[in-house]
Amino acid sequence: QQQVKQSPQSLIVQKGGISIINCAYENTAFDYFPWYQQFPGKGPALLIAIRPDVSEKKEGRFTISFNKSAKQFSLHIMDSQPGDSATYFCAAGYSGGYQKVTFGTGTKLQVIP
Amino acid sequence: GAVVSQHPSWVICKSGTSVKIECRSLDFQATTMFWYRQFPKQSLMLMATSNEGSKATYEQGVEKDKFLINHASLTLSTLTVTSAHPEDSSFYICSAQHSPSGYTFGSGTRLTVV
């Protein structure tokens, strides 16, 4: 019930293309869905997050799409750049109280020139 | 704002010795901090939840006596890997919670046990 499934495991996209990473969760009590970006040898950094009361959130080139009925959410990176090459983790948790988040398995993105 | 400092960034120790990793919230108070372990090319595995002034809550399968967590102040949590062995070699990451859904991660500590 606490699992968050993430796909694909790895992704290669050409510069300027769209990178799409998908996640699915099981626990309907989750109400906070962040995405983290991690560079090698560094800790994850929050990229963008969404709550289930909206179906889409956009920040710059990054967009989260959320489908509550399907219990799925995805990250779209528009105009992908080589600097976006990193590992991306989706996560799910609770917006109220101080509780842990559950991470997806990660997607290694490589943007080639 | 919401800066977390983790130290050291890397450490090499001999088998059988203990290593302490510090996680500090620099500009906020963190009543709750989390410790994760990450194996190469894998996701973050939550080891324990560290609560200021009380005992840590460990995830199933994590040895409490091996991974000692202390959260003595609102800005500092420490993870001590006791009697380290090569299989404890990993990337350890802390995160501190600055709001109900706001987490900031440290930069991680690469532990190598030889």
Side-chain angles (χ1 to χ4, degrees), chain A residues 9 32 36 38 41-46 51 87 89 93-101 103-106 108, chain B residues 31-32 34 36 38 41-44 46 49 59 91 93 97-108 110:
Chain A
Q9 190 173 9
Y32 175 66
Y36 291 90
Q38 184 180 30
K42 300 293 183 184
L46 179 65
R51 289 187 168 80
T87 299
F89 293 96
Y94 306 92
S95 60
Y98 288 75
Q99 302 186 58
K100 59 190 179 186
V101 289
F103 284 88
T105 47
K108 184 173 182 179
Chain B
T31 53
T32 304
F34 302 93
Y36 296 86
Q38 187 177 32
K41 300 182 181 180
Q42 292 192 27
S43 188
L44 288 80
L46 180 66
T49 302
E59 295 298 303
F91 192 54
I93 309 172
Q97 199 156 6
H98 53 81
S99 62
S101 54
Y103 308 81
T104 299
F105 285 84
S107 55
R110 171 75 58 195

Side-chain angles (χ1 to χ4, degrees), chain A residues 6 32 43 47 51 71 109 111:
Chain A
Q6 183 172 348
Y32 175 66
L47 197 58
R51 289 187 168 80
K71 293 188 285 185
L109 170 66
V111 181

Side-chain angles (χ1 to χ4, degrees), chain B residues 64-87:
Chain B
K64 302 178 184 182
D65 295 332
K66 180 160 195 64
F67 300 100
L68 300 180
I69 290 173
N70 185 283
H71 195 155
S73 78
L74 286 171
T75 59
L76 174 64
S77 176
T78 60
L79 168 68
T80 301
V81 183
T82 62
S83 186
H85 290 286
E87 57 265 31

Side-chain angles (χ1 to χ4, degrees), chain B:
Chain B
V3 179
V4 173
S5 173
Q6 187 172 342
H7 180 81
S9 55
W10 61 270
V11 59
I12 301 174
C13 72
K14 289 186 177 180
S15 187
T17 61
S18 296
V19 173
K20 181 185 283 188
I21 302 170
E22 293 188 348
C23 183
R24 292 181 184 272
S25 56
L26 298 185
D27 53 0
F28 66 98
Q29 294 183 332
T31 53
T32 304
M33 292 186 176
F34 302 93
W35 287 96
Y36 296 86
R37 183 173 181 176
Q38 187 177 32
F39 292 102
K41 300 182 181 180
Q42 292 192 27
S43 188
L44 288 80
M45 182 192 80
L46 180 66
M47 299 174 66
T49 302
S50 170
N51 299 296
E52 186 268 337
S54 64
K55 291 183 179 180
T57 303
Y58 289 82
E59 295 298 303
Q60 193 172 10
V62 177
E63 298 177 61
K64 302 178 184 182
D65 295 332
K66 180 160 195 64
F67 300 100
L68 300 180
I69 290 173
N70 185 283
H71 195 155
S73 78
L74 286 171
T75 59
L76 174 64
S77 176
T78 60
L79 168 68
T80 301
V81 183
T82 62
S83 186
H85 290 286
E87 57 265 31
D88 299 324
S89 299
S90 192
F91 192 54
Y92 293 88
I93 309 172
C94 71
S95 77
Q97 199 156 6
H98 53 81
S99 62
S101 54
Y103 308 81
T104 299
F105 285 84
S107 55
T109 298
R110 171 75 58 195
L111 170 63
T112 302
V113 184
V114 297

